[in-house]
Amino acid sequence: MINKKAARPASAAPCRITVCRGCCCGDPAKVPGVDHAGQIRRLRDALDGAAQVRASECLDVCDQANVVVVQPSAAGRAAGGRPVWLGLVNDDEALADIAAWVRAGGPGLAEPPGVLDLYGFTVSRRVGKALEG
């Protein structure tokens, strides 16, 4: 039996989305009124296999809860795309905008919807390297 993921060429590697679910992100006490567990499910449903969505332990940017990191596909990275950190992602409209952008190609291949500029932030090199490593 052939593992289709292993057979896929590296250039076809899709975007990866990391959703923080550590000490503050995903905590109803820190960010009340959000279906934190449902966010991941809704994002996966909206992407319909166009990207990998994974939950992570604390990404060490607790003041930005809930944090979502969009890492470029192999083609996006080759085109100059770099991981995009989005904070305060606490509503379904933001999730829909993220999903639409990723389906269009994501970092390096498609311009994000302008509203995502409101969510973007820069992390320290230490924090950024920890996610990529």
Side-chain angles (χ1 to χ4, degrees), residues 17 19 35 37-53 92 95-96 98-100 103:
I17 299 175
V19 180
D35 176 9
Q39 274 191 323
I40 295 172
R41 184 187 69 252
R42 288 189 303 280
L43 190 54
R44 283 181 177 142
D45 289 347
L47 287 164
D48 192 29
Q52 301 170 358
V53 179
D92 285 345
L95 294 177
I98 293 166
R103 283 192 314 271

Side-chain angles (χ1 to χ4, degrees), residues 20-28 30-31 36 58 62-63 65-66:
C20 184
R21 284 298 177 261
C23 64
C24 294
C25 294
D27 181 352
K30 169 88 177 195
V31 185
H36 298 282
C58 185
C62 299
D63 60 324
N66 287 334

Side-chain angles (χ1 to χ4, degrees), residues 32-128:
V34 175
D35 176 9
H36 298 282
Q39 274 191 323
I40 295 172
R41 184 187 69 252
R42 288 189 303 280
L43 190 54
R44 283 181 177 142
D45 289 347
L47 287 164
D48 192 29
Q52 301 170 358
V53 179
R54 63 185 177 174
S56 174
E57 291 297 319
C58 185
L59 294 175
D60 203 19
V61 284
C62 299
D63 60 324
Q64 296 290 325
N66 287 334
V67 174
V68 174
V69 183
V70 181
Q71 294 176 289
S73 64
R77 186 167 286 281
R82 295 294 172 256
V84 175
W85 289 69
L86 304 166
L88 307 174
V89 180
N90 299 317
D91 58 79
D92 285 345
E93 291 81 12
L95 294 177
D97 288 335
I98 293 166
W101 174 42
V102 169
R103 283 192 314 271
L109 298 178
E111 286 295 317
V115 71
L116 289 184
D117 290 344
L118 299 173
Y119 296 89
F121 68 98
T122 303
V123 295
S124 69
R125 288 184 191 182
R126 177 188 58 81
V127 170

